[in-house]
Amino acid sequence: MQKHRKTETDARKDGPYEKYLEKGAEQLSDAELLAVILRTGTVGEDTVSIATRVLSLPGERRQGILGLHHVSLKELMSIRGIGQIKAIKLKCIAELSSRIAQETARKTFQLKNPATVADYYMERLRHCEREKVILIMTDNRNHLIAENTLSEGTINASLISPREIFLTALRYGAVYIMLLHNHPGGDPTPGEQDILATQRIQKASELIEIPLLDHIIIGDKKYFSFREMDYL
């Protein structure tokens, strides 16, 4: 008896599209979800197999679905079956997921509450490979006026200039300010330089009469608030 060879049509019947229609997106694995985005495979390899290799790149920060934030376009294109268009799609999916998470956090965003501020900026900052310092400026009712990225430093250090902070705050007419920055290693515990810089900025804020509400350090799903921990 001749054995039945699995055809492309048969494969499609077991594919992620059909699984979605039968069971819903929540039943799809990460690889299957990516396979839907990729749409087509390559000779001898289906989309799920290619997606699995995307999720298994070497390096701890590059593995899994969150690895899409840390892998470059060039690295994605080095994977067999991933061209420029597919690589761009994958990077856009990573960015879209961050924006969805940030928009969800925005609904509970309160500048007086360090936890909601940290939640709002968590997805934007926790995936950054370098330290980024953000200045948040508010009016006399503590409503957000503007935010400004002050610097993007080396992989483990950023220089925070009190002069630049208050020139920016004065330019926007800020009544209060708040600082945020990330620790790429994931641990938000402040180092000695973080503490000294915050102390300098707080002293300057008292002289210029634009109070520093807080300095929040973002880690990987964790944060440190100088205000909550009585450093301010």
Side-chain angles (χ1 to χ4, degrees):
M1 181 181 294
Q2 185 177 6
K3 291 185 178 179
H4 173 70
R5 294 183 63 187
K6 193 170 185 179
T7 65
E8 184 178 355
T9 302
D10 294 327
R12 285 177 181 172
K13 290 179 182 177
D14 301 326
Y17 287 93
E18 289 68 30
K19 187 173 179 180
Y20 170 86
L21 290 171
E22 183 182 350
K23 299 181 179 180
E26 64 276 7
Q27 296 301 315
L28 269 62
S29 67
D30 290 349
E32 289 169 332
L33 287 170
L34 286 189
V36 172
I37 304 302
L38 295 174
R39 277 194 68 192
T40 58
T42 188
V43 177
E45 190 171 23
D46 62 21
T47 50
V48 176
S49 298
I50 296 172
T52 300
R53 287 195 285 113
V54 169
L55 298 174
S56 305
L57 289 171
E60 185 178 348
R61 288 175 69 84
R62 286 170 167 75
Q63 292 191 349
I65 199 74
L66 291 179
L68 291 176
H69 290 282
H70 304 289
V71 66
S72 69
L73 202 66
K74 185 177 180 180
E75 287 172 314
L76 285 171
M77 291 171 62
S78 70
I79 298 172
R80 182 174 176 270
I82 302 290
Q84 186 179 63
I85 292 175
K86 289 181 179 178
I88 290 172
K89 282 183 179 181
L90 292 174
K91 292 300 291 182
C92 286
I93 285 296
E95 176 61 24
L96 184 61
S97 68
S98 288
R99 294 189 188 189
I100 290 171
Q102 190 172 343
E103 185 63 22
T104 301
R106 188 180 69 84
K107 295 178 181 178
T108 59
F109 180 78
Q110 296 177 5
L111 282 166
K112 292 182 179 180
N113 186 333
T116 65
V117 176
D119 283 345
Y120 181 68
Y121 286 93
M122 183 68 68
E123 285 305 310
R124 191 195 308 186
L125 293 177
R126 77 185 182 102
H127 300 297
C128 291
E129 300 286 347
R130 297 176 180 271
E131 285 197 8
K132 180 182 291 187
V133 180
I134 295 176
L135 173 66
I136 298 174
M137 294 162 280
T138 72
D139 62 18
N140 60 349
R141 295 185 179 181
N142 219 16
H143 296 151
L144 181 67
I145 295 174
E147 67 170 58
N148 188 273
T149 300
L150 296 175
S151 70
E152 292 191 44
T154 64
I155 197 165
N156 59 5
S158 285
L159 298 176
I160 306 175
S161 165
R163 180 177 183 273
E164 183 181 356
I165 287 171
F166 291 104
L167 283 176
T168 304
L170 290 168
R171 187 166 70 249
Y172 281 92
V175 177
Y176 302 100
I177 60 170
M178 182 183 294
L179 286 172
L180 286 102
H181 84 273
N182 62 302
H183 279 179
D187 181 0
T189 305
E192 183 179 357
Q193 290 302 314
D194 294 325
I195 295 170
L196 292 174
T198 305
Q199 290 173 343
R200 289 199 306 271
I201 294 163
Q202 183 185 26
K203 289 178 182 178
S205 74
E206 292 170 354
L207 290 173
I208 299 175
E209 297 183 344
I210 302 179
L212 175 64
L213 296 176
D214 203 349
H215 181 183
I216 297 175
I217 303 175
I218 302 294
D220 190 2
K221 296 185 180 179
K222 297 178 286 186
Y223 76 93
F224 181 97
S225 162
F226 278 72
R227 178 69 62 186
E228 281 186 339
M229 301 305 292
D230 293 326
Y231 279 65
L232 289 176

